[in-house]
Amino acid sequence: MTSMTPGSTVASATAPTRPRSSYWSHLKYVMSENPVTGLAFGLFALIILAALFGPYLVPHDPLATGVGAALQPPSLAHWFGTDHLGRDVFSRVVVATRLDLLISVSAVAISFVVGSVIGSLAGYFGGWTDRITGRLVDTIMAFPLFVLAMGIVAAAGNTVENIVYATAIINLPFYARMARAEVSIRRNVGYVQAARLSGNSELRVLFGHIFPNIMPPMMVQISLNMGWAILNAAGLSFIGLGVQPPSPEWGIMVAEGANFIISGEWWLVIFPGLALMLAVFTFNLIGDGLRDLVDPQRRT
Amino acid sequence: MSLALKARKVGLRLLEAIPTVIGILVVCFLLTRALPGDPAAYFAGPMADAESIEQVRRNLGLDQPLPVQFVNYVTDLLTGNLGMAISTGQPVVAELATRLPASLELTLGALLLSFLIAVPLGVMAATRPNTWVDHLCRFLVTAGVSLPTFFTGLALMYIFYYLLGWAPAPMGRIDMMYLPPETVTGFYTIDTLIAGDWETFRAAIAQMALPLITLALFTLAPIARMTRAAMLQTLGSEFVRTARAAGLNGRRVLVTYAFRNALLPVVTTLGMVFSFLLGANVLVEKVFAWPGIGSFAVEALVVSDYAAVQGFVLSMALLFVLLNLLIDVIYTLIDPRVGEES
């Protein structure tokens, strides 16, 4: 799953709606205008690599205690230092990539699928479908989203799966609203009427003809949303929900390190925090880059 | 005329909040009934036998049909009964009420601070595109949304407390050396000013500085981004061109014509900003051991104190509705177009 969604992100971003040559020149133009986007794709590859092969590449077992003396600052033997149990922080930070990405990718995938189906139906059929789904989405948005996620995890049980579901639920409104808006403006355009006249059923018109056309803006949304999903999941584990202590995860590593920051052991917090920040930063940059690619008018 | 119109708009907006509140109540009610396993067994305790579980079920009204349970739940809420907090043995309502001012002081202070920085920054970035101000704005915006608040807080704590020693120990709202001021508003900064106690005021500000900056850095991004975009749009609009062509001076065009209109979309985004801010508040309170409702909820989560967590979620949601209402009322009041459309 980790490799699947990002793969399709790139694939549909490159799905051309105009002749291929002009598309590539536009891509080249965007890249040269903003080299940061190129950098973001490089970082993205690095993160995927760490998620896929991290556990085989790291020098120490991330769970093994006492691989070095406890609370040692970064050195050549332990690049990011060691924690209070003598575990290697570098290994833990790298290995954590997989769990963090897995949580956020699954959450975003669920909210994308459910949200875009709900939103498309609302945008296409209007009427009661629209009113009921609209009310549902408004109710979710009536809560401060992180607080709602806390409430859901507290009520449904403190497990990693529930972190995924909670993150998916609080992200759902963004996809539903976007899909609704994008579908409703295309509801009666020429190609849709043509598809309807040639005898396609309503659902087929919606998901076979309109839905592929709303994919580019949805992809941008996915990428921008991904960073936020990572932040949310890490925030939840920072306050002690979901992922439980020995497992390496960025949020919980920062939480464990927090006890040592006032006595000056900075590396326990800074390195997992930086990894978290880098991941979020990468997804935000890619999202901005994709937006420039898909819709040059919406640049801010 | 225009005032009556505005009053009517505000009234309509107040009515619109009713279904939202009902939605919140339904969700919170469902959350209380979605406890893992059997809530009656949970409240009866681990030693209970089948008969006493049944007893607890009847006492809590859990044997009634769901709609009846919902009505009971709402009646309980109306009488201010949110249950007891297991961790402290106090009613949840009392716990939340004593801790709310601390959270509000932090949240509103952070919003004020980020507004004071972000709006001028966005305006300057929009009026001077592609200069250093614009790049600084873009950098802050991107960094602001990428930084986890709990990480920023800890990093600031390391720099300003451990390395430089400028900040006091990150424990609570006020240093142990000082007595908390007499409660008037519950906001230490305002209460110390009312009491005229400058020294304690300074201590409260010093204690609040780091959490405030942490939260402000986080909320800066969306406000600056929106201000910049809205200013760019109004500066390019026809009424600004007309104003310029009519020979009005630059300052007047910028403030009276462009800024007043650009402020509207900024005020609209405040709703989203509050949503993030109230969430981030929980994390920052935990980092700085700030005795607000966020850290109360986190402590309750650790000991599986469900009544406390649910009370927290409900009160945060109601607070958010209230803030959204306030934003919309402000929007109606500052909207230069309302009153002219009739």
Side-chain angles (χ1 to χ4, degrees), chain B residues 48-66:
Chain B
D49 53 6
E51 196 180 326
S52 56
I53 289 178
E54 269 321 297
Q55 178 71 38
V56 169
R57 193 187 308 281
R58 236 168 305 142
N59 285 350
L60 291 175
L62 292 173
D63 53 344
Q64 310 265 349
L66 268 186

Side-chain angles (χ1 to χ4, degrees), chain B residues 176-193:
Chain B
M176 302 280 243
M177 309 244 300
Y178 299 92
L179 284 174
E182 207 176 318
T183 309
V184 183
T185 57
F187 288 18
Y188 280 11
T189 43
I190 298 178
D191 286 355
T192 47
L193 282 184

Side-chain angles (χ1 to χ4, degrees), chain A residues 139 141-143 145-146 151 154-155 228 231 235 238-239 254 261-264 266 270 273 276-277 280-281 284 291 300, chain B residues 20 27 31 34-36 142 145-148 150-151 154 158 161-162 225 228 275-276 279 283 286 301 306 317 320:
Chain A
T139 306
M141 294 294 281
F143 286 87
L145 295 175
F146 185 77
W228 198 60
L231 274 186
F238 177 77
I239 58 173
V254 174
I261 200 103
I262 44 174
S263 51
W266 53 272
I270 300 296
L276 187 58
M277 199 189 93
V280 178
F281 195 56
N284 284 341
R291 176 165 47 196
T300 50
Chain B
T20 316
V27 171
L31 284 180
L35 284 179
T142 321
V145 292
S146 305
L147 279 169
F150 51 92
F151 173 66
L154 288 167
Y158 178 68
Y161 171 68
Y162 181 77
R225 188 182 192 133
R228 180 175 173 277
S275 173
F276 292 138
L283 298 171
K286 178 171 156 58
L301 272 175
Y306 294 111
F320 185 46

Side-chain angles (χ1 to χ4, degrees), chain B residues 5-28:
Chain B
L5 199 70
K6 285 190 176 187
R8 228 185 85 208
K9 282 206 155 191
V10 171
L12 280 178
R13 181 61 188 80
L14 287 177
L15 285 181
E16 273 172 33
I18 294 173
T20 316
V21 171
I22 294 176
I24 286 173
L25 289 178
V26 171
V27 171
C28 284

Side-chain angles (χ1 to χ4, degrees), chain B:
Chain B
M1 176 66 204
S2 118
L3 203 67
L5 199 70
K6 285 190 176 187
R8 228 185 85 208
K9 282 206 155 191
V10 171
L12 280 178
R13 181 61 188 80
L14 287 177
L15 285 181
E16 273 172 33
I18 294 173
T20 316
V21 171
I22 294 176
I24 286 173
L25 289 178
V26 171
V27 171
C28 284
F29 168 71
L30 290 178
L31 284 180
T32 62
R33 294 299 178 265
L35 284 179
D38 183 352
Y42 168 77
F43 285 113
M47 302 294 284
D49 53 6
E51 196 180 326
S52 56
I53 289 178
E54 269 321 297
Q55 178 71 38
V56 169
R57 193 187 308 281
R58 236 168 305 142
N59 285 350
L60 291 175
L62 292 173
D63 53 344
Q64 310 265 349
L66 268 186
V68 178
Q69 286 189 32
F70 180 67
V71 171
N72 291 340
Y73 173 77
V74 176
T75 348
D76 268 358
L77 287 185
L78 288 179
T79 53
N81 180 9
L82 284 172
M84 301 294 264
I86 300 170
S87 39
T88 56
Q90 298 285 318
V92 173
V93 175
E95 286 284 342
L96 290 176
T98 48
R99 285 156 175 269
L100 189 64
S103 294
L104 275 184
E105 186 174 30
L106 198 57
T107 309
L108 297 178
L111 190 75
L112 189 70
L113 183 64
S114 60
F115 219 80
L116 288 181
I117 299 172
V119 170
L121 188 70
V123 170
M124 284 206 296
T127 45
R128 299 170 186 76
N130 287 322
T131 57
W132 65 270
V133 186
D134 193 17
H135 293 304
L136 177 77
C137 177
R138 182 169 292 181
F139 172 78
L140 276 179
V141 162
T142 321
V145 292
S146 305
L147 279 169
T149 33
F150 51 92
F151 173 66
T152 334
L154 288 167
L156 288 176
M157 196 193 283
Y158 178 68
I159 297 172
F160 291 104
Y161 171 68
Y162 181 77
L163 287 185
L164 299 174
W166 292 356
M171 291 291 170
R173 295 176 75 182
I174 200 152
D175 202 282
M176 302 280 243
M177 309 244 300
Y178 299 92
L179 284 174
E182 207 176 318
T183 309
V184 183
T185 57
F187 288 18
Y188 280 11
T189 43
I190 298 178
D191 286 355
T192 47
L193 282 184
I194 291 174
D197 186 350
W198 284 100
E199 206 179 338
T200 319
F201 174 73
R202 217 172 298 132
I205 286 281
Q207 202 75 29
M208 207 163 85
L210 285 189
L212 211 60
I213 293 172
T214 310
L215 273 180
L217 274 179
F218 179 69
T219 48
L220 199 88
I223 301 177
R225 188 182 192 133
M226 204 62 214
T227 311
R228 180 175 173 277
M231 269 312 269
L232 277 178
Q233 206 178 5
T234 44
L235 282 176
S237 67
E238 286 177 359
F239 63 85
V240 168
R241 202 175 50 190
T242 312
R244 282 215 180 98
L248 295 173
N249 66 29
R251 196 185 163 75
R252 178 131 187 217
V253 172
L254 199 66
V255 177
T256 322
Y257 284 72
F259 184 66
R260 263 188 82 193
N261 284 285
L263 209 55
L264 293 177
V266 179
V267 171
T268 318
T269 39
L270 276 187
M272 213 55 232
V273 170
F274 265 123
S275 173
F276 292 138
L277 193 60
L278 292 175
N281 200 32
V282 177
L283 298 171
V284 171
E285 280 183 15
K286 178 171 156 58
V287 169
F288 290 96
W290 192 261
I293 58 175
S295 55
F296 171 66
V298 172
E299 282 159 27
L301 272 175
V302 174
V303 296
S304 305
D305 185 353
Y306 294 111
V309 177
Q310 280 146 5
F312 161 75
V313 173
L314 180 71
S315 50
M316 280 298 229
L318 292 180
L319 180 66
F320 185 46
V321 170
L322 212 66
L323 289 172
N324 269 327
L325 262 178
L326 202 68
I327 290 166
D328 284 353
V329 170
I330 291 174
Y331 184 96
T332 315
L333 293 183
I334 65 168
D335 189 351
R337 291 166 304 185
V338 175
E340 282 162 31
E341 61 198 19
S342 58

Side-chain angles (χ1 to χ4, degrees), chain A residues 93-122:
Chain A
V93 168
V94 173
V95 171
T97 316
R98 184 183 284 185
L99 184 55
D100 272 279
L101 273 196
L102 204 62
I103 293 176
S104 43
V105 169
S106 337
V108 167
I110 294 173
S111 47
F112 167 70
V113 172
V114 178
S116 55
V117 168
I118 289 179
S120 304
L121 290 174

